[in-house]
Amino acid sequence: MQKFIQELQRRNVFRIASIYAVGGWLLMQLAVVLETTLLLPSWFDTLITILVLIGFPIVVFGAWAFEMTPDGLKPTARVDPESSVADRTGKRLDMILAAAAALLVVVIIGDRVMPSGKAAANQKSVASEDFSIAVLPFADMSPDGDQEYFADGISEELLNVMAQVPGLAVAGRTSSFAFKGQNTDLREIAQILDVAHVLEGSVRKSGNKVRVTAQLIRADNGFHMWSDTYDGDLTDIFAVQDEIANAILVELKPQLMGTVTPIAAPRTDITTYDLYLLAQQKAALSTMTGYADAAHALDKALAIDPDFVPALAWRGYYELMMSDAEGAAGDIPAEEAVTRADQWTSRALKLDPDSADALFARAGLFSMAFDAETRDKAGALYERALAIKPNFALARNDYGYWLNDQKRFDEAIAQFEVALAHDPAQSDVNTNLLSYYGRIGDLDKARVLADRWLAISPENPGPHVMKAVFQELSGNLAEGLKIRRKVLAMAPHDPRASRDLHFAELGLGEFQSVLKADEPYMRYRAMVLMGRKDEARALVRQETDARPDFPQQQSDYLDVHNSIHDWAEVVRYYDATWDSLESFQHTFIKPPYLTVLPALIDAGHQDAPAMLAAARRAIDADRASGFQNASYDVNEARLSLLEGDQGKAMDLLELAYAKGMRDIYLFIDPGLNDTPTPRLQALQARVAADINAERAKLGLPEIDMPKAYTAE
C-alpha cells in the first residue's frame, strides 16, 4: 500500500485530482451564475454538475495512466523512470494548485462578505443587514400539474414561519408572488424587493407522497448557498416545512439558532391543511369572488378540524372583507358579516391567545364596529399581532388604517411606509399610501408610486384604480371613466369596480346608466341629480328601514334629504336617531357634519353651535396634516359659508377649480345655491363647460347641469 501511494504521488495523481476538484467547483458556481443571469433552463447547472462528477474518475484514471513528456502525452508504462519529468511537472502543478486555491479563497470571501458593485450601490434598509429573504412561489412539478395551490402554500408557510424570526426581514407574500410565472432575473427581483437572499424550489406531489426541493441563493452574485431535497408522506409535510425553514435560518445566521426557539408550522389534518392552502391562493385575488372561494374552502376545512386556528382567524377576516363596510370588497351587509366574523375570531383567539393571525382578524372586527369605544380597542390587538409577527405586512397596513381613522396621521404613514418596504406589491398598503399622497396634493409622487406598483403587478386592478383617481382629481373625467371601464373588465364581479364606475358616470352626468345599477345607493344618488326627489326619498327610506343601524346608510339618508332641501326631515331623523351630538360623533369614523349642519343651523337647533365648532376642528386638523387637495378646499368652502364668510368660501372654491375640481354636485348643494352670487354662477358656468368638454371626448352629447332644489 505504501508503494502504491508513493506511485500515486510520483504520477501526480493527487495534484491533478485536487486541481480538477477546485476547477470543477468553480465551474459549477459559474454555471449557477450563467443560468441566473442569462435565463438559461433550470437544468443547466445540474447538467454541468453531473458532467463535472463524471469527469472526475476519468481525469484521475488519465493522471495514473498517462504522463506528459517533452515529446507529448504518453502512457506512463512506456516512459522510462530514469527519463521521467514527473517531478518537474509536479512542481508546475503545485504552482497551478496554489493559484487555484487562492482563487477559490477569493471567490468564497467575495461570495460571503463582499457584495457586487451593483448590489452595493443599491443596498439600503433591509438588505443592508444581509439577513433578508424573499420566498418565491415554488414550482408545481406534479405529474398532472394540478397542485399549483399546494406549491404556493408550501412557499407561503415557509414565508410565514420565517417571518416570526427576530432579526430576519422577509419580503411579503404579495410582492414575492408578483413574479410568479415570469422569467425575471433573480437579481432584479432582489433589488425590487430589497432582499439579500432568494429561496426558490419545487413541489412534486403524487398520491400521498410529496417531494420538496429548495435552494437558497445569494442574490447579488447568484451563488447557491444551500439546497436540499425532502421526501415524505403528506402527513409529514409540516415536519418538511420546519426542516426547510430551519435549515435556511442556520445558513443565513447560525447564531440565531442559539437564541431563537426553532420555528414550527401549524399542525392539523392534511386535508384541512390542503383546503387552507387553497383558501390562501383564492384570497390572493383580493376580489369578492376570491374571498368567497376562500371562505368556501375554509368552511370545508373547519368542518374537518373546527379548532384549526389559522382557518378560524382567516375565515373571520374574509367574512369582513366580503361585507359592504368601508374598506371592504363586497356587498354582504356589514351588520351580518360582523356578527358571523365575531364567532370565528373569538374562537380562534380563545384557542390560541398568542396567534398573530387571530389577533389581526379580531382587530379587524373591532375596527369595523359601529361605535367608537369598540373601534378604539383595535389598536392594542394590532400592536400585539405585530409584536409576535413583525413582518406581517397586512396587519401593519390595517394598523396604519386604524391610526389614520384616529387622526394620528404621521404614525399611520410611518406604518404604511414600513409595510410597503416589506411588501411593495401589497394592494391595501399601496392604495392607502397613494390615497395619502392624493390628500396632500402630491400627485407627482403618487404617480411614481402607482407606476412602480403597476410594474410589479400589471394584472392587479389596484394601480389602475388609483390612476383613475388621479385623473379625476386633475379634472380629466373622461380619462378617469375610461380607466374605470378597464378596471371593471379586469374584475367584472368586484362590487368596488362597479361602484367606482357608477360614481364616475355620475360625475359626467350619465344618470340613465347609473339608474340601471344593481346598487340601490347608486340609484338614489342618480335620482337626486335628475330631480326625481320623491323616488330618491322613497328608495333611501326603504334601504334605511332595512338597515337602520348601519352608519353608511344613516349618512346616506341624511345626505339625500339635505340635497333635496328637506331640512325638516334631516332634523327629525337626527333627533330620532341620536340623543346628543356626542352620540352622533361616536357612530361615525368621520362624522358627516356638513350634511347635517345646514338643517340644524336653519332650525336653530341646540346642537348647531357645538357641531359647527367640531366641524371647524376637524377641518383644521386635516389642514394641519397637510391635506390640500381640491375636495378639502370644497369642504372648507361649505363650512366657511355656514360660518358666514362667503368671500373665503368663494376663494376656496376657485382654488379647488384651479386644482382640477369638476364637481357636478356644485349645482345642487343647498348651502351654496340658496344665496347664489355672480362669482358662484361664473364658476358654475366654467365647471359646466368643462364637464361637457369631457363628455365630448367620449362622444357623448352636451347636457344641462342639475338644478338645485328649493326649500320644502
XYZ file of all heavy atoms in Angstrom, residues 477 503 505-512 514 524-533 563-564 662-670 672-674 676 680-681 683-685 687-692 695 701-710:
468
model
N -61.984 63.931 -16.365
C -63.061 62.996 -16.055
C -63.212 61.920 -17.118
O -63.525 60.764 -16.803
C -64.377 63.757 -15.893
C -64.390 64.896 -14.859
C -65.790 65.477 -14.727
C -63.889 64.410 -13.506
N -69.908 55.945 -9.926
C -69.596 57.278 -9.411
C -68.967 58.144 -10.515
O -69.257 59.340 -10.617
C -68.661 57.190 -8.207
C -69.373 57.044 -6.890
C -69.214 55.910 -6.118
C -70.206 58.047 -6.425
C -69.878 55.768 -4.905
C -70.878 57.921 -5.212
C -70.715 56.775 -4.444
N -69.558 57.824 -13.680
C -70.663 58.164 -14.593
C -71.510 59.296 -14.023
O -71.944 60.196 -14.770
C -71.520 56.921 -14.838
C -70.815 55.861 -15.677
C -71.583 54.559 -15.765
O -72.374 54.258 -14.840
O -71.387 53.827 -16.754
N -71.755 59.278 -12.722
C -72.487 60.381 -12.101
C -71.777 61.707 -12.336
O -72.412 62.722 -12.660
C -72.632 60.145 -10.593
C -73.693 59.165 -10.089
C -73.650 59.106 -8.568
C -75.075 59.559 -10.569
N -70.455 61.702 -12.155
C -69.686 62.935 -12.313
C -69.738 63.505 -13.706
O -69.541 64.714 -13.901
N -70.027 62.659 -14.699
C -70.124 63.113 -16.093
C -71.571 63.272 -16.559
O -71.817 63.542 -17.736
C -69.401 62.119 -17.004
C -67.885 62.289 -17.066
C -67.220 61.026 -17.575
C -67.522 63.486 -17.956
N -72.516 63.093 -15.634
C -73.907 63.301 -15.992
C -74.568 62.134 -16.694
O -75.640 62.302 -17.294
N -73.983 60.952 -16.631
C -74.576 59.769 -17.256
C -75.546 59.100 -16.279
O -75.356 57.956 -15.857
C -73.467 58.802 -17.685
C -72.748 59.213 -18.949
C -73.702 59.241 -20.137
O -73.989 58.167 -20.702
O -74.170 60.343 -20.494
N -76.609 59.832 -15.964
C -77.522 59.381 -14.919
C -78.328 58.151 -15.328
O -78.612 57.278 -14.496
C -78.465 60.520 -14.531
C -77.759 61.803 -14.174
C -78.216 63.027 -14.664
C -76.632 61.789 -13.369
C -77.576 64.203 -14.346
C -75.971 62.971 -13.044
C -76.442 64.178 -13.540
N -78.723 58.070 -16.585
C -79.532 56.936 -17.030
C -78.776 55.620 -16.863
O -79.358 54.598 -16.509
C -79.950 57.129 -18.492
C -80.978 58.224 -18.722
C -82.337 57.872 -18.115
O -82.629 56.715 -17.824
N -83.163 58.889 -17.916
N -76.553 55.017 -14.563
C -76.476 54.709 -13.138
C -77.813 54.176 -12.623
O -77.848 53.370 -11.689
C -76.024 55.948 -12.343
C -75.920 55.630 -10.854
C -74.677 56.449 -12.851
N -80.367 55.915 -5.970
C -80.977 57.111 -5.368
C -80.085 58.336 -5.517
O -80.570 59.465 -5.528
C -81.469 56.897 -3.934
C -80.537 56.374 -2.873
C -79.419 57.074 -2.446
C -80.838 55.170 -2.224
C -78.619 56.597 -1.436
C -80.037 54.679 -1.201
C -78.929 55.394 -0.804
O -78.128 54.926 0.218
N -78.805 58.166 -5.695
C -77.948 59.317 -5.990
C -78.256 59.876 -7.384
O -78.313 61.093 -7.587
C -76.476 58.923 -5.884
C -75.961 58.842 -4.456
C -74.535 58.325 -4.385
N -73.935 58.552 -3.080
C -74.137 57.794 -2.011
N -74.937 56.729 -2.117
N -73.558 58.076 -0.862
N -78.445 58.970 -8.340
C -78.804 59.417 -9.689
C -80.157 60.129 -9.687
O -80.345 61.158 -10.359
C -78.823 58.224 -10.643
N -81.105 59.598 -8.936
C -82.432 60.213 -8.868
C -82.354 61.640 -8.329
O -83.040 62.554 -8.825
C -83.350 59.366 -7.985
C -83.703 58.011 -8.574
S -84.537 56.953 -7.335
C -84.729 55.428 -8.252
N -81.532 61.838 -7.309
C -81.363 63.184 -6.741
C -80.850 64.146 -7.810
O -81.365 65.253 -7.978
C -80.411 63.149 -5.535
C -79.990 64.564 -5.139
C -81.058 62.442 -4.349
N -79.837 63.750 -8.563
C -79.255 64.626 -9.581
C -80.193 64.843 -10.766
O -80.070 65.835 -11.490
C -77.925 64.041 -10.060
C -76.777 64.114 -9.040
C -75.622 63.208 -9.450
C -76.290 65.550 -8.876
N -81.126 63.945 -10.973
C -82.082 64.061 -12.076
C -83.337 64.845 -11.694
O -84.230 65.043 -12.527
C -82.485 62.664 -12.562
C -81.341 61.863 -13.148
S -81.809 60.152 -13.512
C -82.805 60.387 -14.985
N -83.429 65.251 -10.424
C -84.608 65.992 -9.985
C -85.763 65.112 -9.561
O -86.865 65.610 -9.321
N -85.549 63.825 -9.445
C -86.616 62.879 -9.095
C -86.567 62.614 -7.579
O -86.291 61.516 -7.114
C -86.456 61.603 -9.908
C -86.630 61.848 -11.402
C -86.047 60.764 -12.297
N -86.606 59.442 -12.070
C -86.354 58.386 -12.866
N -85.561 58.533 -13.932
N -86.882 57.211 -12.595
N -86.897 63.673 -6.831
C -86.681 63.613 -5.386
C -87.622 62.644 -4.686
O -87.241 62.011 -3.695
C -86.792 65.008 -4.777
C -88.176 65.632 -4.794
C -88.153 66.970 -4.074
C -89.551 67.580 -4.013
N -89.541 68.889 -3.308
N -79.666 67.133 0.286
C -79.533 67.523 -1.120
C -80.861 67.983 -1.722
O -80.886 68.903 -2.553
C -78.971 66.356 -1.939
O -77.668 66.023 -1.516
N -81.973 67.341 -1.333
C -83.272 67.740 -1.883
C -83.906 68.858 -1.050
O -85.062 69.234 -1.266
C -84.241 66.540 -1.988
C -84.592 65.988 -0.605
C -83.647 65.463 -2.884
C -85.608 64.857 -0.621
N -64.052 69.374 -10.694
C -65.153 69.492 -11.671
C -66.335 68.717 -11.084
O -66.739 67.677 -11.581
C -64.746 68.910 -13.028
C -63.474 69.499 -13.635
C -63.625 70.961 -14.015
N -62.433 71.470 -14.693
C -61.422 72.079 -14.070
N -61.446 72.234 -12.748
N -60.388 72.525 -14.753
N -66.887 69.242 -9.993
C -67.861 68.518 -9.169
C -69.279 68.863 -9.599
O -69.724 70.010 -9.464
C -67.648 68.874 -7.704
C -68.470 68.009 -6.758
O -69.295 67.211 -7.240
O -68.269 68.136 -5.532
N -70.017 67.869 -10.085
C -71.378 68.100 -10.549
C -72.325 68.438 -9.400
O -73.377 69.064 -9.614
C -71.880 66.873 -11.341
C -73.005 67.277 -12.302
C -72.286 65.738 -10.404
C -73.306 66.232 -13.353
N -71.951 68.062 -8.175
C -72.779 68.399 -7.012
C -72.714 69.889 -6.686
O -73.506 70.385 -5.874
C -72.352 67.568 -5.800
C -72.884 66.158 -5.827
C -72.156 65.129 -6.407
C -74.130 65.852 -5.284
C -72.652 63.830 -6.444
C -74.636 64.557 -5.309
C -73.890 63.550 -5.901
O -74.398 62.276 -5.941
N -71.794 70.604 -7.297
C -71.705 72.055 -7.106
C -73.020 72.737 -7.495
O -73.335 73.820 -6.991
C -70.552 72.598 -7.957
C -70.102 74.046 -7.753
C -69.458 74.193 -6.376
C -69.106 74.445 -8.843
N -73.786 72.086 -8.376
C -75.014 72.700 -8.886
C -76.223 72.467 -7.996
O -77.243 73.149 -8.147
C -75.301 72.179 -10.300
C -74.217 72.501 -11.281
C -73.193 71.596 -11.526
C -74.191 73.724 -11.928
C -72.181 71.894 -12.418
C -73.178 74.041 -12.829
C -72.164 73.124 -13.066
N -76.156 71.489 -7.073
C -77.327 71.207 -6.244
C -77.071 71.398 -4.761
O -78.007 71.269 -3.965
C -77.861 69.778 -6.494
C -76.881 68.720 -5.974
C -78.175 69.549 -7.962
C -77.483 67.330 -5.885
N -75.849 71.691 -4.344
C -75.562 71.864 -2.926
C -76.420 72.999 -2.377
O -76.289 74.146 -2.802
C -74.089 72.170 -2.712
C -73.726 72.239 -1.240
O -74.036 73.270 -0.601
O -73.147 71.270 -0.724
N -77.312 72.696 -1.419
C -78.235 73.741 -0.957
C -77.536 74.878 -0.230
O -77.967 76.038 -0.327
C -79.191 72.981 -0.024
C -78.440 71.765 0.401
C -77.571 71.401 -0.756
N -74.697 76.199 -0.909
C -74.114 77.107 -1.896
C -75.185 77.834 -2.708
O -75.045 79.026 -3.029
C -73.206 76.327 -2.852
C -71.950 75.692 -2.271
C -71.264 74.828 -3.324
C -70.994 76.765 -1.774
N -76.258 77.123 -3.054
C -77.204 77.649 -4.032
C -78.382 78.400 -3.435
O -79.187 78.973 -4.176
C -77.708 76.501 -4.911
C -76.629 75.985 -5.847
O -76.338 76.580 -6.869
N -76.005 74.871 -5.469
N -78.504 78.418 -2.121
C -79.586 79.197 -1.508
C -79.396 80.688 -1.742
O -80.369 81.433 -1.891
C -79.657 78.914 -0.003
C -80.573 77.740 0.298
O -81.120 77.152 -0.658
O -80.729 77.384 1.484
N -77.104 82.352 -4.313
C -76.094 82.375 -5.381
C -75.540 83.777 -5.611
O -76.252 84.782 -5.481
C -76.880 81.876 -6.600
C -78.305 82.213 -6.299
C -78.459 82.067 -4.822
N -70.167 82.672 -7.879
C -70.556 81.268 -7.908
C -71.113 80.893 -9.272
O -70.781 79.840 -9.825
C -71.598 80.979 -6.828
C -72.164 79.548 -6.821
C -71.057 78.539 -6.536
C -73.293 79.408 -5.800
N -71.956 81.758 -9.835
C -72.556 81.460 -11.131
C -71.500 81.384 -12.235
O -71.577 80.542 -13.136
C -73.628 82.501 -11.457
C -74.846 82.403 -10.540
C -75.793 83.576 -10.676
O -75.413 84.660 -11.139
N -77.046 83.393 -10.252
N -68.360 80.525 -11.761
C -67.630 79.272 -11.534
C -68.444 78.086 -12.039
O -67.907 77.169 -12.681
C -67.323 79.113 -10.046
C -66.609 77.817 -9.643
C -65.243 77.719 -10.323
C -66.456 77.737 -8.127
N -69.737 78.089 -11.766
C -70.590 77.002 -12.231
C -70.603 76.922 -13.752
O -70.625 75.823 -14.325
C -72.013 77.186 -11.689
C -72.136 76.893 -10.203
C -73.518 77.176 -9.650
O -74.223 78.069 -10.152
N -73.922 76.443 -8.628
N -70.568 78.072 -14.417
C -70.548 78.080 -15.885
C -69.272 77.424 -16.412
O -69.306 76.666 -17.396
C -70.676 79.512 -16.404
N -67.412 75.181 -14.798
C -67.488 73.752 -14.495
C -68.409 73.038 -15.483
O -68.091 71.953 -15.986
C -67.973 73.522 -13.045
C -68.251 72.039 -12.790
C -66.937 74.034 -12.048
N -69.558 73.651 -15.816
C -70.494 73.052 -16.773
C -69.836 72.883 -18.139
O -69.970 71.836 -18.793
C -71.750 73.914 -16.889
N -69.108 73.907 -18.571
C -68.428 73.827 -19.870
C -67.372 72.725 -19.864
O -67.224 71.977 -20.845
C -67.788 75.182 -20.202
N -66.648 72.599 -18.749
C -65.601 71.581 -18.664
C -66.195 70.174 -18.648
O -65.653 69.246 -19.272
C -64.755 71.802 -17.415
C -63.887 73.044 -17.513
O -63.663 73.522 -18.637
O -63.449 73.546 -16.456
N -67.298 69.984 -17.915
C -67.935 68.660 -17.882
C -68.413 68.275 -19.271
O -68.223 67.125 -19.724
C -69.091 68.640 -16.865
C -68.531 68.694 -15.434
C -69.951 67.386 -17.048
C -69.587 68.781 -14.345
N -69.007 69.211 -19.993
C -69.464 68.895 -21.351
C -68.290 68.667 -22.304
O -68.385 67.856 -23.228
C -70.380 70.004 -21.872
C -71.824 69.819 -21.420
O -72.369 68.716 -21.510
N -72.434 70.884 -20.914
N -67.335 65.175 -21.704
C -68.315 64.301 -22.344
C -68.029 64.187 -23.846
O -68.150 63.101 -24.435
C -69.741 64.833 -22.124
C -70.252 64.684 -20.707
C -71.656 65.298 -20.537
N -72.624 64.677 -21.434
C -73.304 63.575 -21.171
N -73.123 62.956 -20.006
N -74.174 63.083 -22.042
N -73.269 63.534 -25.931
C -73.844 64.846 -26.244
C -73.780 65.792 -25.049
O -73.645 65.373 -23.900
C -75.296 64.520 -26.599
C -75.591 63.264 -25.831
C -74.308 62.483 -25.842
N -73.913 67.065 -25.322
C -73.931 68.078 -24.271
C -75.210 67.947 -23.446
O -76.266 67.581 -23.968
C -73.845 69.464 -24.904
C -73.697 70.598 -23.918
C -73.436 71.933 -24.604
O -72.484 72.004 -25.407
O -74.199 72.888 -24.336
N -75.112 68.232 -22.142
C -76.278 68.159 -21.255
C -76.407 69.449 -20.451
O -75.456 70.221 -20.323
C -76.177 66.972 -20.273
C -74.931 67.121 -19.381
C -76.177 65.645 -21.010
C -74.876 66.143 -18.215
N -77.611 69.670 -19.934
C -77.814 70.734 -18.957
C -77.424 70.212 -17.588
O -77.607 69.032 -17.277
C -79.283 71.172 -18.942
C -79.693 71.835 -20.251
O -78.830 72.481 -20.873
O -80.873 71.688 -20.640
N -76.899 71.087 -16.766
C -76.480 70.678 -15.434
C -77.696 70.517 -14.514
O -78.764 71.092 -14.760
C -75.517 71.714 -14.839
C -74.180 71.784 -15.562
S -73.231 70.237 -15.500
C -73.324 69.705 -17.216
N -77.575 69.711 -13.447
C -78.686 69.534 -12.497
C -79.113 70.864 -11.877
O -78.324 71.816 -11.785
C -78.093 68.603 -11.441
C -76.948 67.927 -12.105
C -76.394 68.909 -13.074
N -80.369 70.905 -11.451
C -80.913 72.110 -10.835
C -80.992 71.936 -9.322
O -81.355 70.867 -8.817
C -82.312 72.405 -11.375
C -82.380 72.531 -12.891
C -81.544 73.701 -13.398
C -81.687 73.853 -14.927
N -80.806 74.929 -15.443
N -80.689 73.008 -8.597
C -80.780 72.973 -7.141
C -82.241 72.914 -6.710
O -83.128 73.453 -7.382
C -80.101 74.196 -6.547
N -82.500 72.270 -5.581
C -83.853 72.158 -5.036
C -84.172 73.388 -4.187
O -83.278 73.992 -3.562
C -83.986 70.897 -4.186
C -83.919 69.605 -4.971
C -82.694 68.995 -5.247
C -85.075 68.998 -5.441
C -82.623 67.809 -5.968
C -85.022 67.801 -6.161
C -83.794 67.214 -6.421
O -83.734 66.044 -7.142
N -85.434 73.731 -4.158
C -85.877 74.802 -3.274
C -86.315 74.196 -1.948
O -86.660 73.018 -1.859
C -87.052 75.566 -3.892
O -88.120 74.651 -4.176
C -86.617 76.251 -5.180
